[in-house]
Amino acid sequence: MHLNLKPRNHLPKKMRPKRLGATISLLLFMICLPILSVAGMELLERGTLHETVQWITSNRSLFLLNVAISFCLLAFIYAVVGSLAISGSIATLLLGLMALISYMKVKMIGEPFFPWDILLNKESMDIASLVTGKAALLRIGAVVIAVILVFLLKWVLPRVSLSIVSRIGLGLFSLYALYAFAIKTPLAGKILDHIGVNEIVWNQKENYANNGLALAFTLNVKNSIVQKPETYSDQSIATVAANLQEVGMQKAGVKKSVDADSLKGKKPNVIFIMSEAFWDPTLLTNVKFSEDPVPTLHRLQKESTSGYLLSPQFGGGTSNVEFEVLTGNSMSFLPGGSIPYQQYITKPVPSLASYFADQGYKSMGIHSYEGWFWNRNSVYKELGFQSFKSSEHFVNPEMKGYFISDAEVSRSIIDEVDKTQDPMFMYTVTMQNHGPYDEPRYGENQFKAQGDLTPEAKTILETYAQGAHDADQSLQMLIDHFQESDEPTMIVFYGDHLPMLGLDYQVYKEAGFIQTSNANDWSLEEVKKMHSIPLVTWSNFDMPKQDIPLLSDSFLGAHVLDMLHMEKPANFKLNAELAAQVPGLLSNLVVDANQELHAEVPESVQALRDDYRNVQYDLLFGKQYLAEHIDHDYLTKTIQDSYNAEFDEEHVPPQTQGVSNNTPTEKPVSAQ
């Protein structure tokens, strides 16, 4: 690398100090700005100067590694742009935005900013609108000021230019260094091991807190690619297939749990309803309501098969719950914070939708929000749905709060079932009760909360309870309709995750439901409570009542197929085998058959857990060995040629403004 100036011997003596000053300015700028940038990023995310200084002084090597990554980013931009001040302002803006987004995500759903979040397109832009408090605005202001100050250095710094050869060399070096740490090449791995970097992929919040934002973000790049399990092979999958075939023969004579006479020779409609953020607010400790906000839920818990689902998400990430339920796969085998709908489902993947289609059902997805969200338009096609009815295909829908009402969704379910001759498998996702809940968007809330809550927490909880009540009543609307129908119908109703009731788990903490807002310090029992969602079922035909203490979302499909006494395909059959031993499976919590809690899978179940992980890898990323041994047609089913033909644009009237019920200006939705 050399400055594009005359050789030293040919420079006039009076110019040599200027050249030296310019070189010193370049070096100081390239060293000091990354140091300040990393300190600023950590301050933005950690929130206090004390915590930031404590982390820097306690983790000097990690701090310097974060600085090195920031330096490489700055150097690469400088190599491309060629101006110190402009390059510095761009680097400051990028790093500042990274810290801001990570801060907002942690506040909202307890997860930092991941590399794959960049793929969220519109969803990623929705975060800022939901965090507009004083702390967020101060951070935004700080980033803007920092960018402006760095840019103003354009008129202060001496003009320095590098030759084109030097810029190319600097750019290539910087880019390779970033690549090496992102992919963790052998040399980078040795450096990370020498420094003592401990990457905690199963707890990303702690990972970022320990290693620093820039380093943790960079290390997560490689997690966008799921590593092949060490035990995955054609032989291991063949063994799994053989075991499943043996299990199938052993259970061939099991007594049916469905009364065939009550079905009148018809296949039952199977309707899954995943209600946005639906939960039972009466479970909150030290809080009472003026009246029961969810009476239908509580009645069904006494009368029908019911229990709790263990969700992999809190406060957001709805599509990950869909992924688990529809495919039977588990988020616990994927990188923390990953989003399969955005990252992994780019080809046909066997699911409940494709299975029911094979059984003569019409498989339909319904979601009362826009089809692009979480890439559902494309993903539902790959999962084998015949059609997908998103908000664009609702005509003159009733609005309540910010979104299409839950009652409108129930009416849509009834309409689609009544006009379809074939039995239906329907997977429905509602939207009305999506957060935030800090404004009384329904006008006067019917349900008054009593307890030791701040006025802000009280408003949030009452607004949420009103929405939960509407979801509860929309379920009752469906029951009332199908109770009188001659079509046998089963409804499976549950939420996707607990609601985000204020930042930093505000309502949960004030109500005494958890002891701390730091999720890293939760007990296993608290982790279980913060991920347990009510599940209720209903049918208009005879079905024995079952109590389900706890069941992971990924095991729900297998359980429902068992309830209907339908033959399970291979992957769901394996789910049922594992669920019998560990019904609850998260990356940081395992619940065994005795309802005892573990941080890791018990040794006695690890082999079966490995089979489950290998099959999941085989279906999503591997060579589809399983299909060579069992259920070939189902496991290799292609997309439906007529996907969404009934909702082609030319056949659908344009959506008009819906009937509003106390509807304020619509807020964009977070990446939920």
Side-chain angles (χ1 to χ4, degrees), residues 177-482:
L178 291 172
Y179 166 84
F181 283 107
I183 304 301
K184 198 174 181 180
T185 62
L187 177 58
K190 290 180 180 179
I191 294 173
L192 294 171
D193 292 341
H194 178 74
I195 292 176
V197 175
N198 182 21
E199 190 179 4
I200 313 171
V201 294
W202 60 90
N203 189 337
Q204 291 286 358
K205 191 174 180 181
E206 185 176 348
N207 189 35
Y208 278 60
N210 291 352
N211 294 320
L213 178 56
L215 177 58
F217 182 91
T218 303
L219 292 176
N220 263 320
V221 169
K222 69 180 181 304
N223 292 330
S224 299
I225 303 173
V226 178
Q227 299 296 318
K228 183 175 71 173
E230 294 181 0
T231 54
Y232 173 71
S233 67
D234 187 6
Q235 182 57 49
S236 66
I237 296 297
T239 301
V240 172
N243 292 338
L244 291 176
Q245 288 172 329
E246 183 178 346
V247 168
M249 289 186 289
Q250 291 173 353
K251 296 187 176 181
V254 175
K255 182 181 178 181
K256 292 187 177 183
S257 59
V258 177
D259 185 346
D261 292 335
S262 67
L263 293 176
K264 302 177 183 178
K266 298 180 179 180
K267 293 180 178 180
N269 299 307
V270 180
I271 303 172
F272 280 64
I273 302 172
M274 191 169 74
S275 182
E276 170 58 39
F278 184 81
W279 182 65
D280 184 356
T282 66
L283 293 175
L284 282 173
T285 318
N286 305 324
V287 173
K288 295 186 180 300
F289 290 91
S290 55
E291 55 183 299
D292 186 357
V294 285
T296 304
L297 170 72
H298 291 152
R299 187 186 78 252
L300 292 177
Q301 286 176 331
K302 297 176 182 177
E303 299 174 355
S304 304
T305 293
S306 62
Y308 287 88
L309 294 177
L310 194 62
S311 172
Q313 302 297 136
F314 170 84
T318 296
S319 69
N320 287 354
V321 181
E322 289 177 52
F323 167 77
E324 286 209 342
V325 174
L326 284 168
T327 68
N329 294 319
S330 175
M331 291 299 301
S332 63
F333 302 134
L334 300 174
S338 59
I339 303 161
Y341 274 23
Q342 294 285 351
Q343 297 171 254
Y344 310 132
I345 301 183
T346 58
K347 64 179 183 180
V349 173
S351 74
L352 288 176
S354 59
Y355 169 77
F356 275 95
D358 279 346
Q359 307 304 309
Y361 280 70
K362 176 181 178 180
S363 291
M364 173 180 277
I366 295 181
H367 184 28
S368 52
Y369 198 62
E370 298 173 27
W372 56 261
F373 203 66
W374 288 128
N375 202 28
R376 285 187 179 93
N377 278 332
S378 298
V379 169
Y380 276 22
K381 184 177 183 179
E382 303 291 2
L383 292 180
F385 281 95
Q386 181 176 334
S387 57
F388 173 40
K389 185 177 183 178
S390 55
S391 65
E392 296 93 326
H393 305 300
F394 282 71
V395 181
N396 294 323
E398 176 192 22
M399 310 294 289
K400 196 161 188 183
Y402 306 134
F403 308 106
I404 292 176
S405 71
D406 284 355
E408 182 70 25
V409 175
S410 289
R411 287 191 286 269
S412 182
I413 292 172
I414 292 170
D415 178 62
E416 295 296 338
V417 171
D418 285 353
K419 74 181 184 184
T420 303
Q421 187 173 5
D422 294 331
M424 292 199 73
F425 168 75
M426 188 175 289
Y427 196 90
T428 308
V429 184
T430 70
M431 195 67 179
Q432 179 190 321
N433 207 25
H434 191 286
Y437 314 101
D438 53 355
E439 296 178 3
R441 65 200 196 204
Y442 304 117
E444 181 68 21
N445 290 322
Q446 175 183 349
F447 304 93
K448 305 299 180 182
Q450 301 172 352
D452 188 16
L453 302 172
T454 61
E456 180 185 15
K458 188 172 183 292
T459 296
I460 290 172
L461 182 55
E462 289 176 352
T463 299
Y464 172 77
Q466 184 67 57
H469 175 73
D470 289 347
D472 183 88
Q473 293 305 292
S474 73
L475 172 59
Q476 185 61 52
M477 179 192 300
L478 292 173
I479 293 173
D480 292 341
H481 173 81
F482 288 109

